[in-house]
């Protein structure tokens, strides 16, 4: 389509670029610390402004097959249809929103709103309360479970019944990053105390704890059957 | 884009002491600094400002075997978010609630890797209501906010007599001999005394009022107080380490702040240190001057500290 090294679109945002996501169609979306959200078509080199800068930062973008979500400092989650870029919904909360996650099928959006996880499926279908601030969210790849990292471990809800008490993996630390393995068997937790914990879903009471890391774990993912 | 760490001022004090007045002055004053503020309650700051953000106090225990090692999870998260607007500010002020414990706030800047990389604690500033502090002397928070401070504003000086003010100032110096104490009205103080103080810079480890060090005994009935040790001689590094480790393990929760300059045996440079609870931070400083008298100065601020025992323990470290 284009050669490596060729700039297909060059534009300036009002502040630092805080997030970039790519849609399956090849469209790119970028957000900035002043609140702009711009959709870029690398083929036509056209940029389309989905949201103008408000001065309030966008911290997170979430791309799904049919949707785009953006949220940030003003506590508003904006939703657009993809690939058209048509605005479809706007959810207002209070507090800075910096974590959200689409279900693997791209239909259900989970949003961290302080000590609550808000679940959106065309409308808000659940508000899951947690005692401490949710640090990270991760859907199992089959989309059947949603895990939230918190102070004291991980809470895992089943999509079949949001009202049912979540399963809990207790850890004596704050879980700041979560990742599921592709087969849904393992859940990895990166923690504030510089440990990495992996649990086998069949034996959650026997976690593997890895110590000796230089600092707290800030990113982690499973790929090719391995944990990175 | 600047990669220098952002200096952070922690603002403490009881509700009504004048914290918000001070905050508004910092935000509106033409001091050439762009200030971002983390507040615990919206609505108190009378300014619509994109860099005034709100958090809910959330304490994380570190579970590293140190019972007093706690950090503020909400600040870790919010500082990470604010750093993406790094070009918009060059100083961060954190306002705590009147009931907040300053220790987790301070420890966040030493114990969280991500925060430590991007920021540098500048000073803890405590605003005291000179008129109403008398009602709060029996509250732990009031004493701790004073004990942890680097800068103390004795505010509302217009509402108390000179004699009352002098007594209050003396009492506060007994609690915390390291802090700079200012008498103020409407929280008015030159910005240089508030921002850019570098109180946690080890190169400026000790600035105790010399008068305090010279006085032999400090009579106070408070459980919180300052112990200063000034002794000549050379310190044995190994003995010091053993003593300090034991001290922090047994009395860490009661030691709020400590600072010192030491003359290590066999070293040409001064050794400077500071600590908050069980957290200790020390390094080799500049060489001793030709005419400088080599010696040791240590200051401890804390609860139920036994000055005689501390001094005896330290003397045992001398060669």
């Amino acid at each position: 389509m284009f050669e490596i090294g060729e700039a297909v679109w060059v534009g300036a945002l009002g502040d630092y670029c805080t997030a970039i996501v790519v849609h399956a169609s090849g469209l790119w979306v970028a957000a900035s610390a002043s609140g702009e959200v711009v959709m870029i078509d690398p083929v036509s080199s056209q940029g389309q402004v989905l949201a103008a800068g408000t001065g309030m930062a966008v911290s997170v973008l979430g791309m799904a097959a049919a949707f785009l979500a953006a949220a940030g400092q003003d506590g508003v989650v904006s939703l657009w249809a993809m690939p058209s870029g048509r605005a479809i919904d706007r959810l207002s909360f209070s507090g800075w929103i910096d974590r959200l996650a689409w279900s693997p099928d791209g239909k259900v959006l989970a949003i961290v709103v302080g000590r609550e996880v808000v679940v959106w499926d065309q409308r808000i279908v659940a508000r899951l309360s947690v005692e401490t601030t949710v640090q990270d969210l991760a859907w199992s790849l089959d989309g059947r479970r949603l895990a939230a990292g918190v102070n004291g471990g991980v809470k895992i809800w089943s999509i079949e019944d949001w009202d049912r008490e979540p399963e809990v993996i207790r850890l004596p630390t704050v879980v700041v990053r979560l990742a599921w393995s592709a087969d849904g068997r393992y859940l990895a937790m990166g923690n504030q105390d510089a440990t990495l914990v992996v649990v086998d879903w069949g034996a959650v009471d026997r976690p593997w704890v890895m110590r000796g890391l230089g600092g707290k774990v800030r990113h982690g993912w499973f790929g090719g059957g391995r944990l990175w | 884009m600047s990669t220098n760490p952002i200096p952070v001022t922690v603002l403490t004090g009881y509700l009504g002491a004048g914290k918000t007045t001070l905050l508004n002055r910092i935000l509106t004053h033409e001091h050439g600094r762009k200030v971002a503020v983390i507040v615990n309650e919206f609505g108190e700051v009378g300014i619509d400002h994109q860099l005034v953000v709100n958090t809910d106090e959330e304490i994380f225990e570190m579970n590293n075997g140190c019972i007093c090692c706690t950090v503020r999870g909400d600040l870790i998260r919010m500082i990470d978010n604010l750093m993406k607007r790094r070009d918009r500010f060059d100083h961060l002020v954190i306002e705590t609630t009147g009931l907040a414990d300053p220790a987790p706030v301070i420890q966040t800047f030493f114990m969280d890797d991500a925060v430590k990389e991007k920021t540098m604690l500048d000073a803890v500033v405590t605003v005291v209501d000179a008129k109403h502090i008398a009602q709060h002397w029996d509250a732990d928070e009031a004493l701790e906010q004073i004990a942890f401070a680097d800068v103390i504003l004795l505010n509302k000086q217009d509402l108390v007599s000179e004699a009352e003010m002098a007594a209050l100032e003396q009492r506060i110096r007994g609690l915390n001999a390291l802090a700079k104490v200012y008498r103020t009205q409407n929280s008015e103080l030159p910005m240089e005394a508030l921002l850019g103080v570098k109180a946690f810079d080890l190169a400026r480890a000790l600035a105790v009022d010399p008068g305090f060090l010279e006085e032999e005994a400090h009579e106070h009935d408070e459980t919180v107080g300052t112990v200063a040790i000034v002794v000549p001689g050379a310190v044995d590094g190994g003995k010091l380490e053993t003593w300090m480790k034991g001290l922090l393990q047994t009395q860490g929760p009661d030691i709020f702040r400590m600072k010192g300059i030491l003359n290590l045996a066999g070293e040409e440079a001064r050794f400077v240190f500071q600590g908050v609870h069980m957290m200790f931070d020390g390094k080799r400083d500049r060489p001793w001057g030709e005419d400088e008298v080599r010696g040791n100065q240590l200051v401890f601020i804390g609860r139920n500290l036994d000055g005689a025992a501390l001094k005896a323990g330290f003397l045992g470290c001398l060669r």
Side-chain angles (χ1 to χ4, degrees):
Chain A
M1 208 185 314
F2 43 86
E3 288 179 25
I4 291 169
E6 185 187 347
V8 294
W9 185 82
V10 177
L13 300 169
D15 204 327
Y16 294 156
C17 183
T18 49
I20 296 178
V21 288
V22 186
H23 186 249
S25 66
L27 292 167
W28 289 63
V29 175
S32 87
S34 64
E36 294 159 292
V37 179
V38 181
M39 187 162 74
I40 301 142
D41 180 349
V43 179
S44 66
S45 298
Q46 293 296 306
Q48 180 190 344
V49 176
L50 299 185
T54 56
M56 301 289 252
V58 169
S59 292
V60 60
L61 291 174
M63 184 68 90
F67 301 109
L68 168 71
Q73 191 177 354
D74 58 4
V76 173
V77 180
S78 301
L79 288 145
W80 293 272
M82 288 300 291
S84 69
R86 179 177 54 86
I88 52 169
D89 206 348
R90 202 180 131 83
L91 316 169
S92 285
F93 305 100
S94 71
W96 198 313
I97 296 177
D98 55 10
R99 298 275 193 284
L100 46 77
W102 285 103
S103 60
D105 66 3
K107 291 180 177 159
V108 184
L109 180 66
I111 308 152
V112 173
V113 182
R115 297 177 192 204
E116 216 176 29
V117 177
V118 175
V119 183
W120 181 92
D121 183 356
Q122 304 292 324
R123 60 187 174 82
I124 291 172
V125 294
R127 296 187 77 134
L128 313 168
S129 291
V130 190
E131 301 81 44
T132 72
T133 304
V134 177
Q135 304 291 318
D136 198 19
L137 286 176
W139 291 88
S140 62
L141 268 72
D142 61 7
R144 296 166 58 83
R145 289 191 288 259
L146 175 65
V150 297
N151 183 4
V154 183
K155 302 222 167 187
I156 302 144
W157 290 269
S158 163
I159 60 155
E160 269 113 61
D161 185 359
W162 293 113
D163 293 331
R164 200 196 304 158
E165 276 296 299
E167 294 191 60
V168 178
I169 298 172
R170 287 186 204 287
L171 290 178
T173 181
V174 186
V175 175
V176 294
R177 280 289 182 269
L178 282 173
W180 290 91
S181 64
D183 57 7
R185 181 170 171 189
Y186 302 105
L187 177 63
M189 292 149 252
N191 308 319
Q192 177 75 31
D193 67 353
T195 59
L196 181 64
V197 173
V198 178
V199 293
D200 181 334
W201 196 245
V204 291
D205 53 333
R206 293 195 303 277
W208 306 326
V209 181
M210 286 160 252
R211 294 179 203 282
L213 301 167
K216 73 174 173 183
V217 178
R218 299 183 219 180
H219 296 285
W221 63 93
F222 277 97
R226 289 184 184 174
L227 175 69
W228 298 89
Chain B
M1 173 180 162
S2 170
T3 51
N4 293 334
I6 290 266
V8 180
T9 301
V10 176
L11 191 54
T12 76
Y14 262 51
L15 192 67
K19 256 184 319 180
T20 306
T21 309
L22 183 61
L23 203 49
N24 280 321
R25 282 173 39 72
I26 291 171
L27 283 169
T28 52
H29 197 272
E30 286 297 319
H31 44 62
R33 291 169 200 263
K34 289 175 288 181
V35 179
V37 183
I38 298 179
V39 294
N40 263 270
E41 285 127 330
F42 260 145
E44 284 197 28
V45 180
I47 292 168
D48 181 26
H49 196 292
Q50 286 165 2
L51 288 171
V52 177
V53 296
N54 188 32
T55 63
D56 283 329
E57 180 175 335
E58 185 167 28
I59 307 276
F60 287 172
E61 284 164 25
M62 296 302 280
N63 296 297
N64 54 359
C66 152
I67 52 166
C68 43
C69 285
T70 50
V71 297
R72 285 274 299 268
D74 57 312
L75 295 178
I76 294 172
R77 184 83 162 261
M78 199 48 75
I79 287 168
D80 185 44
N81 281 328
L82 273 176
M83 281 300 156
K84 287 169 185 143
R85 315 211 65 184
R86 174 70 180 79
D87 56 334
R88 297 293 171 102
F89 63 100
D90 41 32
H91 200 104
L92 176 62
V93 175
I94 296 172
E95 184 202 26
T96 65
T97 65
L99 296 176
D101 178 359
V105 181
I106 298 170
Q107 287 171 167
T108 303
F109 293 89
F110 292 92
M111 303 196 63
D112 183 81
D113 319 321
V115 171
K116 206 160 124 183
E117 275 166 23
K118 295 168 190 160
T119 60
M120 185 185 68
L121 200 52
D122 184 41
V124 177
V125 175
T126 297
V127 187
V128 174
D129 180 334
K131 176 80 179 165
H132 296 105
I133 184 69
Q135 300 162 13
H136 302 300
W137 281 126
D138 50 355
D140 283 350
E141 295 88 2
L143 292 176
E144 283 169 15
Q145 287 167 5
I146 291 165
F148 275 102
D150 299 292
V151 176
I152 298 172
L153 278 70
L154 299 182
N155 198 31
K156 306 188 182 177
Q157 65 165 338
D158 48 319
L159 301 184
V160 295
S161 70
E162 171 57 33
E164 285 172 302
M165 199 60 164
L168 175 61
E169 193 167 339
Q170 198 183 5
R171 186 166 189 172
I172 283 187
R173 287 195 183 282
L175 289 172
N176 179 342
L178 283 170
K180 286 211 157 42
V181 180
Y182 301 93
R183 299 179 181 191
T184 61
Q185 184 175 338
N186 296 324
S187 302
E188 279 177 25
L189 190 66
M191 285 297 145
E192 311 86 79
L194 285 169
L195 308 180
V197 174
K198 295 188 174 161
F200 286 85
D201 185 346
L202 277 176
R204 299 179 166 210
L206 209 57
V208 193
D209 173 8
F212 184 88
L213 292 177
E214 283 157 18
E215 289 170 42
E216 268 303 303
H218 290 275
E219 293 300 329
H220 52 79
D221 47 11
E222 250 102 37
T223 56
V224 174
T226 301
V227 172
I229 300 170
V230 183
V231 286
V235 177
D236 181 293
K239 287 181 188 168
L240 176 76
E241 198 182 327
T242 308
W243 174 66
M244 191 58 88
K245 215 178 253 177
L247 180 68
L248 296 186
Q249 270 167 11
T250 54
Q251 292 180 58
D254 283 337
I255 295 172
F256 298 160
R257 298 276 300 260
M258 59 175 181
K259 286 186 179 189
I261 302 170
L262 302 176
N263 175 31
L264 289 185
E267 288 282 345
E268 283 310 303
R270 313 187 322 165
F271 183 82
V272 292
F273 71 90
Q274 64 178 326
V276 176
H277 284 323
M278 288 161 114
M279 193 189 73
F280 182 90
D281 181 22
K283 69 162 193 185
R284 184 184 297 197
D285 191 36
R286 64 167 173 80
W288 289 100
E290 295 256 326
D291 308 327
E292 208 169 359
V293 180
R294 296 191 183 195
N296 309 285
Q297 292 183 34
L298 301 86
V299 178
F300 297 87
I301 299 172
R303 176 174 279 127
N304 303 322
L305 298 181
D306 180 342
L310 283 171
K311 190 167 182 181
F314 181 70
L315 287 174
C317 302
L318 294 179
R319 222 169 233 186

